[in-house]
């Protein structure tokens, strides 16, 4: 009996220590992940297809909501179309009319999907009077780190920031992880609690932090 009581006392004393040692699962606080980008080009347009999981409603308020999978297609004109612009997956799983954005000067289409393509995706694009069959290929390579690794780079380098975003020991923030493509692949990774935001630009192959911005 004495041993049992002693064990209970020791366990009670260790509970605060065990709680402090528990690792925070920051993936539960993701509100946006752009995990892949597909590219294609013709004489008339440049096409980018983003595979993004995003919360709804979308807001930088520090509260991560349930995410849905979205295909986002942007068609940048090299030659203006003489008519409507449409884009469809060749397998018929998604597609429709692309809307012109007067702000960006391009055509955009988005739709919720159950699964994302991998490697490449065959598309059928109507560009005014012309129809194209194009194969958009992923910018990811074997050297591209996954979004989870990019998130870990931020959480390791911004421990003080994340500590400030805790209230009564509970983390109150949300993360956004976006794969970017310029001449090479990058990750934009940001965390916010609705009042403070830290964003990092990360080399998507080496994991090196290239830039940091606080706002």
């Amino acid at each position: 009996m004495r041993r049992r009581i002693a064990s209970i006392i020791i366990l009670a004393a260790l509970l605060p220590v065990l709680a402090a040692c528990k690792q925070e699962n920051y993936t539960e606080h993701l509100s946006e992940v752009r995990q892949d980008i597909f590219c294609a080009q013709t004489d008339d347009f440049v096409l980018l297809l983003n595979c993004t999981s995003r919360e709804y409603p979308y807001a930088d308020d520090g509260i991560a909501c349930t995410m849905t999978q979205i295909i986002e297609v942007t068609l940048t004109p090299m030659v203006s179309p003489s008519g409507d612009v449409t884009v469809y997956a060749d397998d018929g799983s998604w597609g429709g009319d692309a809307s012109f954005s007067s702000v960006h000067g391009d055509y955009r289409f988005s739709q919720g999907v159950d699964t994302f393509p991998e490697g490449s995706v065959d598309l059928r694009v109507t560009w005014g009077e012309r129809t194209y069959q194009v194969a958009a290929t992923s910018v990811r390579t074997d050297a591209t780190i996954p979004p989870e690794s990019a998130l870990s780079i931020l959480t390791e380098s911004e421990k003080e920031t994340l500590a400030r975003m805790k209230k009564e020991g509970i983390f109150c923030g949300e993360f956004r992880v976006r794969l970017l493509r310029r001449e090479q692949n990058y990750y934009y990774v940001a965390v916010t609690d609705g009042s403070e935001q830290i964003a990092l630009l990360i080399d998507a192959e080496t994991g090196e932090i290239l830039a940091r911005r606080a706002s």
Side-chain angles (χ1 to χ4, degrees):
M1 177 63 74
R2 289 181 179 177
R3 289 184 178 179
R4 183 178 180 185
I5 293 174
S7 298
I8 292 173
I9 293 173
I10 293 171
L11 180 59
L14 286 174
L15 283 177
V17 177
L18 294 173
C21 293
K22 181 182 178 182
Q23 294 293 318
E24 183 84 43
N25 183 9
Y26 287 113
T27 59
E28 295 178 352
H29 301 278
L30 282 166
S31 58
E32 180 183 8
V33 180
R34 181 191 296 161
Q35 64 183 51
D36 209 345
I37 302 171
F38 293 77
C39 302
Q41 182 172 339
T42 70
D43 292 337
D44 286 345
F45 56 84
V46 175
L47 182 149
L48 292 179
L49 186 155
N50 294 331
C51 297
T52 304
S53 298
R54 181 181 294 137
E55 68 174 357
Y56 183 83
Y58 187 76
D60 281 323
D61 54 8
I63 303 172
C65 299
T66 302
M67 294 192 294
T68 58
Q69 295 189 152
I70 304 170
I71 289 287
E72 301 172 304
V73 181
T74 301
L75 300 113
T76 302
M78 300 178 70
V79 176
S80 297
S82 56
D84 295 335
V85 175
T86 67
V87 55
Y88 287 88
D90 218 30
D91 62 5
S93 59
W94 56 266
D97 297 333
S99 301
F100 180 72
S101 170
S102 57
V103 175
H104 299 93
D106 53 26
Y107 292 82
R108 300 188 172 202
F109 172 84
S110 64
Q111 183 176 327
V113 295
D114 294 328
T115 59
F116 289 136
E118 296 182 5
S120 66
V121 56
D122 294 324
L123 305 171
R124 185 174 72 259
V125 178
T126 300
W127 191 258
E129 297 178 351
R130 302 186 66 177
T131 299
Y132 288 91
Q133 296 289 142
V134 298
T137 56
S138 171
V139 301
R140 298 187 65 88
T141 69
D142 292 340
T144 306
I145 64 176
E148 295 80 9
S149 296
L151 174 63
S152 295
I153 292 168
L154 182 144
T155 58
E156 285 297 313
S157 66
E158 296 292 335
K159 289 181 179 179
E160 292 184 4
T161 301
L162 302 185
R164 289 197 302 271
M165 294 181 177
K166 287 187 176 181
K167 296 178 181 179
E168 298 180 356
I170 299 174
F171 180 71
C172 299
E174 62 178 331
F175 298 89
R176 304 197 185 284
V177 181
R178 300 171 185 161
L179 181 65
L180 306 176
R181 176 68 183 181
R182 299 297 182 263
E183 290 78 18
Q184 64 183 72
N185 292 341
Y186 303 92
Y187 275 107
Y188 166 89
V189 188
V191 60
T192 182
D193 62 357
S195 58
E196 177 184 8
Q197 176 170 290
I198 301 296
L200 303 180
L201 182 66
I202 298 171
D203 187 307
E205 291 190 0
T206 66
E208 178 186 0
I209 298 174
L210 304 174
R212 180 183 187 273
R213 184 178 65 185
S215 58

